[in-house]
Amino acid sequence: MKKQNNPDAQTGKKSLRFMERILITGVFLWFLGLIVVPFCGILKQTFSKNWHQAFASLTSSTALHSFGITIIICIAVAIINTIFGTMLAYMLTRQTFRGQLIIESLLDLPFAVSPVVIGFMLIILFGPNGWMGRIFSFFNIKIIYALPGMIIATLFVTLPFVAKEIIPILRQFGSEQEEAAQVLGASAWQNFRKITLPTIKWGLGYGLTLTIARSIGEFGAVLVVSGNILNKTQSATLYIHDQFTDLNYIGAYSASIILIILSILVINFIQFISKQKAG
Amino acid sequence: MASIMVENLSKRFGNFVAVDDVSFRAEEGELVALLGPSGSGKSTILRMIAGLEIPDRGKTYLYGKDVTHTVSRKRKVGFVFQHYALFKHMTVEKNIGFGLEIMKKKKDFIKDKVEKLINLVNLNGYESHFPAQLSGGQRQRVALARALAPEPKIMLLDEPFGSLDAKIRENLANWIRDLHQKINVTSVFVTHDQNEAIKIADKIVAINRGKVDQIGTAKEVYEHPETKFVASFIGNTNVIVGKLHDHKLYIENMAGEIPTKSLKAPKNGSMVLLVRPEDILISKKKTRECPIKGTIKDIYYRGSAYEINILTGDIIINVVEEKNRFQKKKIANNATVYLGFVKYNIFNAPEGRKIIEEKLSQLGYLE
């Protein structure tokens, strides 16, 4: 019996290894074709001939302003999402209330709905005739076709990232350590700061990375809400789009590269720190 | 004034009644065991005393003060969780000092106190270890030290030895008993292990399906069992009722008599005999050592030994004999054999208290 079994097992293993190799090669090619080749293409397009021109278009006031807008949006969204995303995750895991499940399933909505549609939703709500828009215009605050609207649109699109990262961590972490701190006299805030936060900080960091990366790249929702006004409400992605439609390819490519590099830096920064910490 | 008093505590989780009208009290300095099978609601009671669970009905008093609606962080109790709930991202030192840090004690004071506690729980050299680097017993002791650090008057322990292996459990149980005597606290601990409850508790509150079955000292619970669970303490011991007459023990409905010379000043009358299965001799012939006639009913192979059930009169006696010795005798089912008791404990009902205690301590239920 044993002698019969062994060769079977070995051929099983061999065919598994073969399949593994095919799969790995496939994934590698897929990655190469989808991400690496286009990126290299864009690099070549921009810098092979006209890097002077690229530099000039990047340092134009319109380009710089658009990057400034993107950075402001990123910072605002990062701060707001850290606070509300964490609160949302905490509420969904630590409290029981009616409608919890509905909220949790709605959390996926920003992933599912097209950003352009989200932009229109915001215009309906915050526009001059929208009921929120009327309230704000009473206080002379402009939301649509202004920076606040762009921030709100980006917030909406990036809402799930932080919460979605933290919820499973909090679920797995359980509430025992929090209860232990509570019995030892810790207030809710002390408990959060000393027990919960150290536990979720890497999840939070990762969620934040995704949030920032998405904020840098967001186009559709921001386009609808901002009105794309030069030197006013033009973010970096909108600038790239404009350059592209104006057939100024050098400008579009060079700005794109900056955005890509920014995103890569942001994503790797957190991973680098978490690996350092773990190692 | 009782340190802890709970009155008519009740708690439901959905449709499940976890705790049903539970009342008991713990006097100052007492070590009280909440004893019951898992799912009996004993942990929920403990959590309600700590303020981690809010009762649907009933009241909790700590040192005479109604704390039913006081948040747990203001109750000043020490709580040891079943799975320790150590702060994973903190060192042993930080874990133990957490409560003091929250109380905003001075750094020197905390350092001093933590050092003393580390000595107390024998964790010298582990100060800067993280919980993940410790064994179960060590984690347990960190959890204890952490709970003790703010010097609570009341300690609550949820299955404190639940996830440790048998040997460590026993040591730790004794250690907790000693510690309890050393520092003046009132403690309530939850356990499903009768041995543990008997061994270290001053008072046992037996919980079954969310209700109190019986409250009493370990001895009371043994001698006057109001419920069946006491029977399980006696465990694997043969309990035989007999009559003593002229230094001879006649066992009811049992063929044979036992000389009882070894008994000091025995009185005539009704007697109870406790015999462990391994203290019984089996012989194929009637001898002076083996005077009691019986019939083999069942023979079970138990690895290094055989377990044999023998019918004598109308009672079944459980015997354990070493494998080789039993095999040599070549005894089969339904064979007639003679039994003798090598060692036994005998007592009459009124004087039984002392002997039962001794018996129980022999069996390892009492220290």
Side-chain angles (χ1 to χ4, degrees):
Chain A
M1 282 302 279
K2 267 185 184 172
K3 273 185 183 172
Q4 270 180 345
N5 270 340
N6 272 339
D8 271 7
Q10 264 177 7
T11 49
K13 242 183 189 174
K14 257 183 197 164
S15 65
L16 193 79
R17 259 186 217 150
F18 183 65
M19 279 304 290
E20 245 172 56
R21 248 176 234 168
I22 286 189
L23 274 175
I24 290 170
T25 317
V27 169
F28 185 73
L29 286 176
W30 176 260
F31 180 79
L32 205 72
L34 209 65
I35 296 172
V36 180
V37 170
F39 182 64
C40 290
I42 230 177
L43 270 179
K44 187 170 173 284
Q45 278 289 330
T46 317
F47 291 108
S48 57
K49 304 170 218 161
N50 304 307
W51 71 272
H52 280 290
Q53 208 180 328
F55 186 76
S57 79
L58 269 181
T59 48
S60 72
S61 68
T62 316
L64 287 178
H65 187 271
S66 73
F67 276 101
I69 291 282
T70 292
I71 287 167
I72 290 171
I73 291 175
C74 276
I75 292 170
V77 167
I79 292 171
I80 296 170
N81 264 350
T82 302
I83 297 168
F84 282 96
T86 310
M87 274 168 62
L88 192 62
Y90 198 81
M91 241 173 58
L92 286 172
T93 51
R94 290 293 182 268
Q95 243 99 53
T96 42
F97 54 89
R98 236 169 251 236
Q100 203 164 13
L101 271 177
I102 297 173
I103 290 184
E104 211 175 330
S105 57
L106 280 181
L107 210 50
D108 285 327
L109 202 64
F111 285 146
V113 178
S114 159
V116 178
V117 176
I118 291 169
F120 281 126
M121 273 160 52
L122 290 177
I123 285 192
I124 291 166
L125 193 62
F126 289 102
N129 298 317
W131 57 273
M132 286 289 274
R134 270 186 223 144
I135 296 170
F136 278 105
S137 69
F138 180 79
F139 293 105
N140 240 342
I141 300 169
K142 211 175 162 197
I143 304 280
I144 298 299
Y145 307 131
L147 192 59
M150 296 168 81
I151 292 173
I152 292 173
T154 313
L155 274 177
F156 196 102
V157 173
T158 56
L159 174 77
F161 288 116
V162 168
K164 280 264 163 189
E165 283 299 323
I166 297 177
I167 285 171
I169 298 175
L170 281 176
R171 288 242 159 87
Q172 200 221 346
F173 175 59
S175 50
E176 253 202 345
Q177 288 180 48
E178 285 162 7
E179 284 179 345
Q182 206 180 321
V183 179
L184 285 166
S187 65
W189 172 243
Q190 282 171 323
N191 209 324
F192 176 76
R193 201 163 49 88
K194 293 185 181 226
I195 309 299
T196 317
L197 195 58
T199 309
I200 60 169
K201 65 180 171 192
W202 296 120
L204 182 61
Y206 188 61
L208 216 50
T209 316
L210 295 177
T211 303
I212 293 172
R214 179 71 199 259
S215 304
I216 292 173
E218 179 49 33
F219 177 74
V222 171
L223 174 69
V224 176
V225 177
S226 69
N228 195 9
I229 307 162
L230 278 190
N231 286 325
K232 257 186 131 179
T233 63
Q234 190 172 59
S235 71
T237 44
L238 300 182
Y239 168 79
I240 292 167
H241 178 71
D242 264 16
Q243 298 297 307
F244 188 78
T245 46
D246 290 351
L247 306 180
N248 179 9
Y249 294 131
I250 300 285
Y253 291 151
S254 54
S256 301
I257 285 167
I258 299 294
L259 279 196
I260 291 171
I261 290 170
L262 266 179
S263 298
I264 290 173
L265 279 180
V266 167
I267 285 178
N268 283 293
F269 178 66
I270 293 285
Q271 279 190 351
F272 176 73
I273 291 179
S274 66
K275 265 185 195 145
Q276 286 273 325
K277 192 86 179 174
Chain B
M1 182 175 57
S3 286
I4 304 169
M5 188 163 85
V6 299
E7 271 180 5
N8 313 104
L9 279 190
S10 298
K11 177 79 181 173
R12 280 165 173 276
F13 293 112
N15 283 326
F16 176 69
V17 181
V19 177
D20 190 5
D21 205 26
V22 165
S23 306
F24 69 90
R25 48 196 287 163
E27 307 300 331
E28 188 152 8
E30 259 185 339
L31 180 52
V32 176
L34 295 182
L35 174 65
S38 57
S40 59
K42 52 199 191 311
S43 288
T44 308
I45 298 171
L46 203 71
R47 289 172 61 83
M48 287 195 281
I49 298 173
L52 293 172
E53 221 63 81
I54 300 161
D56 298 336
R57 271 187 296 118
K59 285 198 182 305
T60 311
Y61 298 89
L62 300 181
Y63 285 93
K65 205 178 133 210
D66 183 355
V67 296
T68 313
H69 299 290
T70 307
V71 292
S72 66
R73 72 189 168 93
K74 291 191 173 155
R75 293 194 185 191
K76 290 177 181 154
V77 298
F79 200 103
V80 177
F81 289 80
Q82 186 176 1
H83 304 292
Y84 322 131
L86 295 180
F87 306 133
K88 287 191 183 116
H89 58 287
M90 293 186 200
T91 60
V92 167
E93 229 169 359
K94 285 271 173 199
N95 262 286
I96 298 174
F98 185 84
L100 300 170
E101 210 177 290
I102 293 293
M103 289 162 84
K104 299 213 158 47
K105 296 280 184 194
K106 287 209 173 99
K107 273 196 176 155
D108 290 346
F109 177 85
I110 296 176
K111 213 182 156 207
D112 209 49
K113 182 88 194 169
V114 168
E115 208 178 293
K116 277 183 192 157
L117 281 163
I118 282 180
N119 276 324
L120 182 74
V121 298
N122 278 325
L123 280 170
N124 305 78
Y126 291 96
E127 288 85 349
S128 39
H129 282 55
F130 284 92
Q133 299 167 302
L134 301 177
S135 72
Q138 288 168 334
R139 284 179 206 175
Q140 161 69 273
R141 282 178 285 158
V142 175
L144 259 168
R146 183 179 67 180
L148 287 171
E151 297 185 8
K153 286 261 195 289
I154 289 163
M155 280 289 279
L156 306 169
L157 306 102
D158 191 0
E159 293 275 3
F161 323 108
S163 27
L164 300 173
D165 58 63
K167 252 204 183 131
I168 303 171
R169 276 178 95 104
E170 199 165 322
N171 287 337
L172 213 56
N174 290 331
W175 184 80
I176 284 198
R177 170 86 254 182
D178 292 346
L179 187 73
H180 180 83
Q181 276 158 356
K182 220 187 281 177
I183 54 175
N184 184 34
V185 288
T186 310
S187 309
V188 178
F189 76 103
V190 158
T191 181
H192 63 270
D193 185 325
Q194 297 97 326
N195 293 3
E196 233 160 62
I198 294 300
K199 195 181 266 175
I200 69 175
D202 298 313
K203 188 195 270 179
I204 293 177
V205 179
I207 309 279
N208 198 11
R209 294 179 188 208
K211 286 190 170 174
V212 174
D213 249 15
Q214 187 175 1
I215 301 178
T217 62
K219 292 166 206 158
E220 280 167 3
V221 170
Y222 272 117
E223 286 160 37
H224 310 289
E226 288 161 23
T227 63
K228 263 191 177 172
F229 90 109
V230 173
S232 63
F233 291 143
I234 306 293
N236 215 13
T237 296
N238 294 297
V239 182
I240 300 158
V241 183
K243 272 206 168 78
L244 195 68
H245 184 69
D246 279 348
H247 290 273
K248 277 180 182 164
L249 185 70
Y250 298 91
I251 289 160
E252 275 170 25
N253 301 324
M254 200 191 259
E257 63 197 33
I258 307 162
T260 53
K261 268 181 277 178
S262 59
L263 267 178
K264 284 174 198 162
K267 286 171 189 163
N268 289 347
S270 223
M271 289 291 165
V272 173
L273 207 63
L274 295 178
V275 197
R276 299 185 81 164
E278 57 270 34
D279 292 337
I280 299 175
L281 287 178
I282 310 175
S283 165
K284 284 171 106 171
K285 284 173 194 159
K286 184 170 181 172
T287 61
R288 227 172 64 83
E289 286 86 30
C290 301
I292 306 158
K293 196 177 164 188
T295 312
I296 304 267
K297 278 288 148 203
D298 312 286
I299 300 172
Y300 301 106
Y301 180 60
R302 294 275 184 261
S304 62
Y306 280 92
E307 192 182 328
I308 310 118
N309 288 335
I310 297 169
L311 181 74
T312 171
D314 62 355
I315 62 168
I316 297 266
I317 292 189
N318 186 252
V319 182
V320 171
E321 190 158 82
E322 197 262 323
K323 187 177 81 181
N324 292 329
R325 248 172 72 188
F326 183 73
Q327 277 173 348
K328 258 187 223 159
K329 289 176 190 163
K330 291 183 177 141
I331 301 173
N333 260 345
N334 296 319
T336 301
V337 289
Y338 293 88
L339 301 177
F341 302 154
V342 181
K343 269 196 284 179
Y344 50 85
N345 275 308
I346 185 166
F347 58 90
N348 57 18
E351 288 178 357
R353 189 191 166 98
K354 228 181 165 182
I355 301 161
I356 268 204
E357 258 183 69
E358 277 168 22
K359 180 68 207 165
L360 290 170
S361 73
Q362 262 182 30
L363 291 171
Y365 292 118
L366 287 172
E367 275 290 289

